[in-house]
Amino acid sequence: MSLKYVKNIDKPIQKIRFAVQVTFALLCIWIGIEFSQFISYLESNGAGIFHQRPPGAEGFLPISALMSLVYFVQTGQVHHVHPAGFFILLAIIGVSFVFGKGFCSWMCPVGFLSEMVGDFGDRIFKKIFKKKFKLHRFIDYPLRSLKYLLLAFFLFAIFSMTEASLAVFLSGEYNIAADLKMYYFFADISRFSLIVIGSLFLLSIVIRNFWCRYLCPYGALLGLVGILSPNKIKRNAASCIDCGLCAKACPSFIKVDKVITVRSDECTSCLNCVDVCPVADTLDVKNVFSKKKVSKKLIAAGVIMIFISITGLGMLSGKWHNDVSKEDYLMIHKHLNSIGHPTSSSEINELNKSTEKENVKENEKGRNR
Ligand code: SF4
Ligand code: SF4
């Protein structure tokens, strides 16, 4: 099965969305440069110029952030190792809760790259086949469930840990070193990883948003949160002329022209469908409670303001930077290769028990003194 895909970058709101995407992509590049300078300091063994580690790098540690979120729910405290990651995740969930999966189409650098690659693929397919390729639903549906299976796996692993085990894991060397390891994963990438990333890239040319649609567990989480969003795409069936342009414009292949309200977990609030509708007041974002239209500019401003407000709250609360000293980072960096992942929750529980035993011994020593 195939669909034509209409692109409307000439529309003002799409220009704003593109500008927001570019800004966030540049922000990520800037964070990457700052982080590489911090790594240079660690590699100099403390002899070089010290560069502050950018806390924004924690935005690339979603599993650690999810664990911090669970820790926060359990204890009411922001864990001190990757606090910025926690606030970034909270901001992204906040955006999804109000505007669906808006983070994916407005801010996510991977989503942006995926969109660019998809557009490139569209141009090729339009030239050769005059159509955009789409997998048949019998293949598409099972593949879409993969990201939920991955999310379920991570959630199961996190929720099978006790509160104390979670605290031990979050404070452990592996979690502290997670961003350093991620840096070396890309800076010193293996042939196998390159093949996997290259394959995903090529697949994204043929199948639009391959990573986001089928594999990203983060997107799965945001899609589920987004279903609860009160602001939905609404079609007025009375004035609709059934031209089908909205469905053709949708990069998530949602049949917008066949529903009254878009409730899909794949809707990213990109507003492409709203932009192409030729009939006034027929396709809009509406609040399901007030039934009022939500303007496109308000959505753009809302997505940005929610993100800035929550991450700003983290900065103003003084919890944005972690409390790992540069001396600790230098020590951890020295034996980075020997730091392995505690492979199972039982291993972490064991680690927790040994920590508890050590605490008991320390307390006994204190009493005997
Ligand atoms: S339904 Fe509309 S807003 Fe949602 S992903 Fe499709 S084009 Fe974008
Ligand atoms: S683009 Fe507008 S008029 Fe055309 S099918 Fe969609 S809602 Fe109806």
Side-chain angles (χ1 to χ4, degrees):
M1 189 190 165
S2 56
L3 280 175
K4 280 183 184 171
Y5 173 72
V6 180
K7 183 81 183 164
N8 10 257
I9 192 71
D10 54 319
K11 299 281 182 180
I13 202 67
Q14 295 306 327
K15 283 184 181 160
I16 294 173
R17 190 168 70 85
F18 183 73
V20 176
Q21 286 175 311
V22 170
T23 306
F24 270 82
L26 291 175
L27 186 65
C28 291
I29 291 169
W30 178 63
I31 288 171
I33 293 169
E34 291 235 304
F35 198 81
S36 71
Q37 289 176 332
F38 171 65
I39 290 281
S40 301
Y41 168 75
L42 299 182
E43 286 177 345
S44 75
N45 220 353
I49 301 164
F50 175 66
H51 288 277
Q52 183 84 41
R53 170 184 164 281
E58 293 167 22
F60 294 91
L61 306 173
I63 308 303
S64 175
L66 199 54
M67 293 172 100
S68 291
L69 182 61
V70 175
Y71 179 81
F72 178 78
V73 172
Q74 288 175 344
T75 66
Q77 287 174 358
V78 177
H79 196 272
H80 54 90
V81 169
H82 292 311
F86 163 78
F87 283 107
I88 292 168
L89 176 64
L90 208 60
I92 292 167
I93 290 177
V95 168
S96 307
F97 193 66
V98 182
F99 293 114
K101 223 167 142 184
F103 171 76
C104 301
S105 69
W106 286 82
M107 294 167 169
C108 178
V110 180
F112 180 42
L113 187 65
S114 191
E115 193 175 324
M116 293 293 104
V117 174
D119 289 349
F120 173 69
D122 280 352
R123 277 200 284 276
I124 296 175
F125 271 82
K126 268 185 190 170
K127 263 190 192 159
I128 303 173
F129 304 107
K130 312 281 180 219
K131 282 174 182 177
K132 169 73 184 160
F133 178 76
K134 183 187 179 254
L135 284 178
H136 192 282
R137 64 193 161 100
F138 289 141
I139 304 171
D140 182 57
Y141 283 178
L143 283 179
R144 273 167 60 188
S145 65
L146 285 178
K147 62 179 183 290
Y148 290 104
L149 288 175
L150 285 169
L151 176 67
F153 168 76
F154 289 124
L155 289 179
F156 175 76
I158 294 171
F159 283 103
S160 62
M161 292 166 78
T162 63
E163 189 181 312
S165 306
L166 197 59
V168 167
F169 181 89
L170 286 170
S171 306
E173 281 193 334
Y174 183 82
N175 190 40
I176 296 172
D179 46 1
L180 307 183
K181 281 186 173 280
M182 183 187 59
Y183 174 87
Y184 284 112
F185 173 83
F186 288 107
D188 198 10
I189 195 158
S190 68
R191 186 179 294 182
F192 175 74
S193 303
L194 255 184
I195 291 171
V196 171
I197 293 172
S199 305
L200 287 172
F201 187 85
L202 290 176
L203 278 167
S204 299
I205 295 176
V206 183
I207 303 165
R208 197 174 177 90
N209 291 337
F210 185 85
W211 165 261
C212 308
R213 191 172 177 84
Y214 300 127
L215 296 172
C216 180
Y218 216 36
L221 175 70
L222 302 185
L224 292 177
V225 175
I227 289 175
L228 303 174
S229 161
N231 300 307
K232 306 262 185 234
I233 304 281
K234 285 254 184 194
R235 186 175 63 95
N236 180 355
S239 57
C240 173
I241 56 170
D242 290 322
C243 64
L245 283 174
C246 49
K248 286 173 188 168
C250 179
S252 300
F253 304 110
I254 297 167
K255 291 176 178 164
V256 188
D257 58 335
K258 300 282 184 269
V259 294
I260 298 298
T261 306
V262 172
R263 297 187 193 278
S264 171
D265 58 327
E266 297 295 336
C267 177
T268 61
S269 299
C270 68
L271 303 176
N272 270 308
C273 55
V274 179
D275 273 347
V276 292
C277 181
V279 189
D281 298 326
T282 296
L283 198 65
D284 291 297
V285 176
K286 285 193 177 160
N287 186 285
V288 291
F289 298 118
S290 68
K291 315 268 184 239
K292 284 194 178 147
K293 183 174 158 180
V294 184
S295 81
K296 291 185 264 187
K297 282 186 181 151
L298 184 68
I299 293 168
V303 166
I304 297 164
M305 286 315 294
I306 293 170
F307 188 86
I308 290 178
S309 304
I310 299 179
T311 49
L313 182 75
M315 291 175 200
L316 292 174
S317 66
K319 293 186 189 301
W320 186 249
H321 290 266
N322 71 11
D323 62 1
V324 183
S325 67
K326 62 181 178 186
E327 288 76 21
D328 283 344
Y329 268 119
L330 282 166
M331 191 264 292
I332 283 173
H333 184 261
K334 264 186 203 163
H335 67 279
L336 192 62
N337 290 336
S338 66
I339 301 173
H341 189 284
T343 48
S344 65
S345 53
S346 58
E347 202 173 318
I348 297 162
N349 288 335
E350 279 304 313
L351 197 63
N352 180 33
K353 276 181 202 159
S354 64
T355 310
E356 279 173 2
K357 275 182 196 164
E358 274 172 28
N359 288 343
V360 171
K361 275 184 197 165
E362 286 295 318
N363 288 342
E364 278 174 0
K365 270 186 202 168
R367 260 185 256 126
N368 293 338
R369 259 179 227 142

